[in-house]
Amino acid sequence: MRIVTANRLSDGRVIYLGEDDRPVESVAEAAVFEAAEAETAQARAAARPEVFVNPYLVEVTGHAFSGRDRLKESIRAAGPTVGNSLSTDTGAAV
Amino acid sequence: MYRYDEFDAALVRERVEEFRDQVERRVSGALTEDEFKPLRLMNGVYLQLHAYMLRVAVPYGVMNGPQMRRLAYIARTYDKGYGHFTTRTNIQFNWPALSDLPAILEDLAEVEMHAIQTSGNCIRNVTTDVFAGATDDEIEDPRPWCEILRQWSTIHPEFSFLPRKFKVAVIGAEKDRAAIRTHDVGLRIVRGADGETAFQVFVGGGQGRLPHLGQEIATAVPGSEILAYLTAILRAYNLLGRRDNIHKARIKILVASLGIEAFREEVERQFATLRQEDLRIPDAEMDRIRAYFAPPTFADLPKTSGAFDRAVLADADFARFSRNNIRRHRQAGYASVVISLKPVDGVPGDITAAQMETVADLAERFSFDEVRAAYEQNLVLPHVRLDDTPALWRALREAGLATANADLVTDIIACPGLDYCSLANARSIPVAQDLSRRLADLAWQEKVGPVRINMSGCINACGHHHVGHIGVLGVDRKGEEYYQITVGGSPDEQAALGEIVGRSLPADEVAPAIQRALDRYLVIRTEGERFIDTVRRVGADPFRQAIYETLDAAA
């Protein structure tokens, strides 16, 4: 199973292709595709460059990342694991 | 410090307006991402893991108070309240929105700053000795030459589309505090046969996947001809460098494949056509630029300071700060002060907006309105009266900027790694933090003495792990983070690449393993021997054994 992810053009934040091809911020809201339809979903996102920058496919089991890049995708989804020298609105643990 | 003339100011303003138009066209859909990407990169804008990242140029690492304060304003207004200083002596902002970037560049332009050539296959920001013009072991201040190179290389029509990025560092002393042999071109000021300024030139250095140390290509190029000589090098590279394989496109690969002799011949051939032409730097122009870097008006002070001596005796923490973070100055009664951006548990190179404002205030109050970015991801106030160092230290301490660990084991150089960077394979920051916590005891750190730990989250080596006395490289093993350790690297005048000691380790084993290596050093060192000297004397084996002994026993 796969989901489509990209960066949002306006602010670069991580987004996913949701139901009805809406951009969503949470991986839990991402639409999950069978292999056959995943590439066409990716193409639909690519056709909206004013929202989705560089859309690509990510392997998932349910909504959990399961491919080789699962660590990277987890950090993309949750934000930096370390905070920084002061406040950040991300910082969730992986 | 150099002030923009009308040409600089106009160029930067025009560039801001040009980029504003490009952003608008991208947002409107008139430009595709493929079309926009090279344009944003020319303005220092990357798209990283979580957001856009803006890399602001800090030419040769020199800033003043208003510039620092403006960086703080940008951090607070457009970002999350902090910035990150890099090994290129630039500052990066990790969270700006695309639509804000033209405004940020406009804000920067108002204080004579920009982001031009902080990305792309062009000549990048020239770096130098953070103590330039302040140290007492210098033949000549390298900053005027850096400024000449900045003006020459900025939007150079012939060298804006090189096979790959191109990095230049310049030093003016025997001691190499800018790692010149890890650069595409490294320049060291020497005295020519006639006593005039000349440059020893190294070429073909670089880290990354295939690390090389720069090789000497010329012993003493006259200062007036250095632009012609650099043009000859760049021209040879531009003509002969590979463009078919990004991993083999740096000049280090060209020099290694041709051999330094053949490359030198090609450069000499190019140089012969250039040296008599208008690339000679006129004496008057050199004098004009030098005037911008004239020393500040130092007071006539005694070599020693009663206030400093009393503070050292009265306060053990200040005494420690003075031992580790205060450096000798060429001017009697003055010192340079290192501001560590490596607090315990901190992110190496990060600084908050409030801290930037504090540094701006302190630079104006204590250091002739000058602050430097160091490639170690620290800051330096270059010209501080010894008398003022206790007050400066108290102010730094209040701002959380007085960690007395400059050049000690927790003065760790680390790239942002997988927490931010889209290229990384593994995280760097948590491993650096783990080390920072484990090795936090400053008394123990002083006992160990100077040790440079460098950490990179991928083979691109932004954390310079190849030349760390102890290097740590994050690697991906089937989706898991592991860390390869090297020992014996050195970035200085005895530059060396570290030796890989063995199999890579999981993240939680890195700090204990490094501690064991340092403990072994304490046992086997001779009187007064630094860590790197011990490695050079005994080789990597004792450290390899220490790093793996517990792991092997447990296996």
Side-chain angles (χ1 to χ4, degrees):
Chain A
M1 306 296 282
R2 293 177 171 187
I3 59 175
V4 179
T5 187
N7 289 81
R8 185 163 55 203
L9 176 66
S10 60
D11 57 8
R13 298 297 196 270
V14 176
I15 53 174
Y16 304 91
L17 190 69
E19 298 300 330
D20 304 322
D21 289 348
R22 284 181 298 111
V24 296
E25 294 187 8
S26 164
V27 66
E29 296 178 81
V32 180
F33 302 99
E34 298 283 357
E37 57 180 347
E39 288 184 11
T40 58
Q42 180 188 358
R44 290 199 302 277
R48 296 167 61 193
E50 76 284 6
V51 179
F52 294 93
V53 180
N54 301 331
Y56 62 95
L57 299 173
V58 179
E59 286 180 35
V60 291
T61 302
H63 281 92
F65 299 107
S66 56
R68 186 188 168 99
D69 287 335
R70 59 190 179 278
L71 174 66
K72 179 176 182 176
E73 291 304 327
S74 298
I75 294 172
R76 282 185 79 239
T81 64
V82 290
N84 49 56
S85 294
L86 52 59
S87 65
T88 168
D89 61 8
T90 57
V94 173
Chain B
M1 86 194 282
Y2 181 77
R3 304 302 311 232
Y4 278 11
D5 62 18
E6 70 269 31
F7 300 107
D8 296 303
L11 184 148
V12 171
R13 273 200 311 272
E14 286 167 12
R15 190 62 175 261
V16 170
E17 291 313 308
E18 182 183 65
F19 189 57
R20 190 189 307 280
D21 177 63
Q22 290 162 351
V23 168
E24 286 171 3
R25 287 192 287 143
R26 174 67 183 98
V27 171
S28 74
L31 288 177
T32 66
E33 183 63 19
D34 285 345
E35 290 166 333
F36 180 61
K37 182 177 176 181
L39 303 176
R40 66 170 159 77
L41 288 177
M42 286 179 185
N43 290 284
V45 179
Y46 291 72
L47 183 51
Q48 289 287 21
L49 215 54
H50 310 287
Y52 292 97
M53 182 268 279
L54 175 66
R55 182 179 293 151
V56 178
V58 183
Y60 33 92
V62 176
M63 292 168 286
N64 60 24
Q67 289 174 327
M68 202 70 180
R69 219 170 266 118
R70 184 58 56 96
L71 294 173
Y73 170 80
I74 289 167
R76 192 175 279 128
T77 308
Y78 302 108
D79 208 277
K80 293 192 177 190
Y82 73 103
H84 173 78
F85 279 100
T86 76
T87 54
R88 297 294 309 155
T89 72
N90 292 321
I91 185 169
Q92 295 178 175
F93 294 106
N94 284 324
W95 301 94
L98 180 61
S99 54
D100 287 334
L101 285 163
I104 296 174
L105 295 182
E106 191 172 351
D107 288 340
L108 288 170
E110 286 177 1
V111 291
E112 303 187 346
M113 298 186 87
H114 60 72
I116 297 167
Q117 292 188 195
T118 59
S119 176
N121 295 333
C122 53
I123 301 171
R124 300 288 187 88
N125 186 34
V126 175
T127 53
T128 190
D129 184 348
V130 73
F131 300 112
T135 182
D136 62 0
D137 63 348
E138 201 167 65
I139 293 173
E140 186 179 322
D141 186 345
R143 289 172 303 159
W145 295 99
C146 294
E147 174 55 27
I148 291 276
L149 297 185
R150 185 190 73 82
Q151 295 188 20
W152 164 75
S153 64
T154 298
I155 317 184
H156 192 299
E158 187 178 347
F159 303 137
S160 291
F161 297 94
L162 295 165
R164 281 286 278 139
K165 59 188 169 184
F166 201 90
K167 299 174 181 176
V168 181
V170 189
I171 57 171
E174 183 83 27
K175 180 90 182 145
D176 182 357
R177 289 176 286 257
I180 63 170
R181 290 188 63 198
T182 68
H183 287 71
D184 297 287
V185 163
L187 301 175
R188 186 171 77 86
I189 294 174
V190 294
R191 286 278 164 245
D194 55 0
E196 295 295 304
T197 300
F199 288 92
Q200 184 183 19
V201 182
F202 295 90
V203 69
Q207 299 187 64
R209 190 179 302 269
L210 297 165
H212 290 272
L213 294 176
Q215 300 180 65
E216 186 184 74
I217 187 170
T219 55
V221 177
S224 62
E225 296 183 353
I226 193 63
L227 288 188
Y229 197 79
L230 287 175
T231 299
I233 290 175
L234 266 297
R235 191 165 281 182
Y237 171 51
N238 213 8
L239 289 168
L240 302 175
R242 290 182 62 166
R243 293 174 187 267
D244 60 325
N245 182 339
I246 192 172
H247 301 305
K248 296 183 178 178
R250 296 287 292 271
I251 195 173
K252 64 187 176 184
I253 304 299
L254 176 64
V255 172
S257 61
L258 282 181
I260 187 68
E261 294 303 330
F263 185 74
R264 182 183 292 117
E265 285 175 21
E266 178 61 28
V267 170
E268 291 291 342
R269 204 167 18 249
Q270 298 286 349
F271 186 46
T273 70
L274 290 162
R275 64 188 305 176
Q276 300 303 329
E277 297 177 11
D278 59 2
L279 283 165
R280 292 181 77 92
I281 304 170
D283 289 345
E285 179 62 7
M286 197 64 231
D287 291 343
R288 191 181 74 84
I289 299 293
R290 278 201 179 104
Y292 287 107
F293 297 92
T297 309
F298 293 118
D300 190 13
L301 298 171
K303 273 186 176 176
T304 57
S305 154
F308 173 83
D309 293 343
R310 282 191 296 278
V312 165
L313 289 172
D315 193 316
D317 288 340
F318 177 74
R320 172 168 282 141
F321 184 81
S322 75
R323 285 195 297 274
N324 298 325
N325 291 38
I326 295 181
R327 300 285 186 270
R328 215 164 64 179
H329 200 282
R330 69 191 315 163
Q331 180 72 25
Y334 284 82
S336 297
V337 176
V338 179
I339 302 172
S340 169
L341 301 183
K342 321 288 177 60
V344 174
D345 205 29
V347 177
D350 271 15
I351 181 169
T352 69
Q355 288 174 326
M356 288 185 223
E357 285 162 345
T358 296
V359 171
D361 293 344
L362 296 176
E364 288 169 349
R365 186 172 158 206
F366 292 119
S367 189
F368 296 94
D369 195 17
E370 189 170 335
V371 57
R372 311 266 180 90
Y375 97 94
E376 292 90 347
Q377 299 178 283
N378 291 323
L379 297 175
V380 165
L381 297 182
H383 311 299
V384 180
R385 283 184 190 222
L386 273 174
D387 288 345
D388 289 335
T389 54
L392 170 62
W393 170 72
R394 283 192 292 274
L396 289 172
R397 190 173 54 173
E398 203 167 303
L401 290 168
T403 310
N405 65 347
D407 292 340
L408 300 180
V409 286
T410 58
D411 190 1
I412 300 164
I413 292 173
C415 73
L418 191 52
D419 278 300
Y420 290 95
C421 178
S422 55
L423 298 176
N425 293 318
R427 285 171 288 177
S428 302
I429 297 167
V431 178
Q433 289 173 314
D434 197 16
L435 268 166
S436 157
R437 288 187 295 265
R438 173 175 278 267
L439 308 178
D441 181 350
L442 280 165
W444 184 83
Q445 290 187 54
E446 285 191 305
K447 186 173 155 192
V448 172
V451 180
R452 179 154 290 177
I453 299 178
N454 291 57
M455 202 170 300
S456 302
C458 77
I459 197 65
N460 291 304
C462 292
H464 295 197
H465 65 277
H466 293 296
V467 291
H469 299 159
I470 297 173
V472 182
L473 167 65
V475 294
D476 175 290
R477 274 188 10 193
K478 297 180 180 172
E480 302 290 338
E481 296 166 297
Y482 277 79
Y483 296 85
Q484 195 177 73
I485 297 179
T486 54
V487 169
S490 181
D492 59 14
E493 63 283 1
Q494 293 178 277
L497 301 173
E499 178 183 337
I500 298 171
V501 293
R503 68 185 183 279
S504 52
L505 305 175
D508 60 356
E509 283 293 342
V510 174
I514 288 176
Q515 172 139 35
R516 287 195 298 276
L518 294 169
D519 287 340
R520 181 64 54 89
Y521 154 69
L522 291 176
V523 172
I524 65 177
R525 70 178 174 185
T526 60
E527 181 72 26
E529 194 176 50
R530 299 172 309 164
F531 176 81
I532 187 63
D533 298 327
T534 305
V535 177
R536 287 174 180 148
R537 177 172 58 83
V538 303
D541 273 347
F543 303 101
R544 179 180 292 116
Q545 289 162 13
I547 286 167
Y548 293 104
E549 64 187 10
T550 307
L551 298 167
D552 290 339

